[in-house]
Structure formats: structure tokens, C-alpha cells
Amino acid sequence: HEEFSMLCDYRYSAVLAVNYLYELGHRDIAFFSYGPDNLTIRQKEDGFTEEMKKLGLPPKIFRAGDATDTLSAGSKLTELLINTNELPTAIWCASELMAVGVLNTLKANGICVPKDISVIGHDDLYFDIFPDIGLTTLHTPMKEIGVAAVNLAISLINNDEKIEPRQLFSTTLIKRKTTAKAP
């Protein structure tokens, strides 16, 4: 029996995020991640490392907390970099809530987004909840993945011979208000 999978290409997310920030003139770019280690996180971290190296830039990956509270993880990492005077000009976060934690901490410390620092999130799930933030993010095509899952289930029930065993979906960059040219 064959295995079926529907995956999102999170390595491609890194390509989009890093190259967009690079085009804006950012050279000091960090990736904020969290535990536990899993395929999604590894793809984002590996993609980030590869893309930064391609551009001749040092990949800076910071990991804190876990998936149950990415908001706090974003705050902790931001606080750490502010306190050690190592804040980059741009941060790409592994999730949108992590980016909200970053934005809250930057604001509390008088650091302006996007004038002083650019921030990108990932998923585009919370735009309706946080419309005022205008977070630049990578949109995960959840609706398309859901439709594909339903179609797969119907095909399996109907014993369809033409089932695509593996489907790969790509993220898209949604440019909003939290990114700008490097200071």
C-alpha cells in the first residue's frame, strides 16, 4: 500500500523571506525558531541556512521555547538580542504569533518597526485577529491543502487509480507594513 502526503515547501518560505529582505538591503538577518524539532522547523532552518550562505551572509538562527507558546518565545529572543546589543536589522519568525511577540517587545523597548527593524512572520493565519499590525508574512495555503485532502479522501473511497500520492504546496509572500529598506 502506498503512502500519501500533503506537504508545504517550507524551504521555499526561506528563499522568499531571505531574498525579499536582501532586496531591501538587509544583510544582518536572523531567523527565530522554537522547539520541538520537527520536519517543518528543520525545513525552515535548513532553507534559511542555505539561502543565507548562497548570499554570502552568516545564518543567525535563534531558538527558544516551544510550539505551545511561540508568542513568549518571540519576546524572549528579542529581549535577549536587545540586552546583548545584537539586534539584527531584520527578523524572520517561524510563526505569526512568534512575530507578534517580537513586535510587542520591540515596541516596549522603543524600537520602531519597520524604520529600525523589519519583521516577517509565517502562516498568515491571524491577519483577521491582528489587522492593525499589518504583518508581512508567508501565506501557507491552508484552504488549498484542505481541499486537496478532501479530494484525496474521496479518491481513496472511490478506489481511483489516478491518485497523486504526494502533493507539495508553496507559500507566498504577503507584503504588508512590517518590512522596509534596511536602516
Side-chain angles (χ1 to χ4, degrees), residues 12-37:
Y12 183 63
S13 295
V15 170
L16 291 174
V18 170
N19 283 293
Y20 175 59
L21 292 169
Y22 188 85
E23 286 166 17
L24 290 173
H26 294 279
R27 299 300 178 262
D28 189 3
I29 304 167
F31 177 58
F32 280 13
S33 183
Y34 50 84
D37 193 31

Side-chain angles (χ1 to χ4, degrees), residues 1 21 24 40 56 106-107 111 116 118 126 130 152 159 175:
H1 107 54
L21 292 169
L24 290 173
T40 300
L106 290 169
K107 186 177 182 180
I111 298 165
D116 301 325
S118 288
Y126 301 104
F130 304 115
L152 173 63
N159 287 320
K175 299 172 188 174

Side-chain angles (χ1 to χ4, degrees), residues 32 45 62 76 84 87 98 109 118 121 129 132 153 155 171-172:
F32 280 13
E45 288 180 357
F62 299 91
K76 278 182 200 153
T84 57
L87 200 62
M98 184 174 233
N109 283 276
S118 288
I129 299 169
D132 298 346
S155 295
T171 55
T172 49

Side-chain angles (χ1 to χ4, degrees), residues 34 44 66-71 93-101 103 120-140 142 174 176:
Y34 50 84
K44 290 174 184 176
D66 61 61
T68 61
D69 190 3
T70 61
L71 191 84
C93 299
S95 81
E96 211 147 79
L97 285 177
M98 184 174 233
V100 172
L103 293 170
I120 297 181
H122 199 290
D123 296 328
D124 199 29
L125 300 178
Y126 301 104
F127 183 65
D128 295 341
I129 299 169
F130 304 115
D132 298 346
I133 292 173
L135 181 67
T136 298
T137 193
L138 288 144
H139 174 79
T140 302
M142 296 308 247
I174 308 292
R176 293 192 180 113

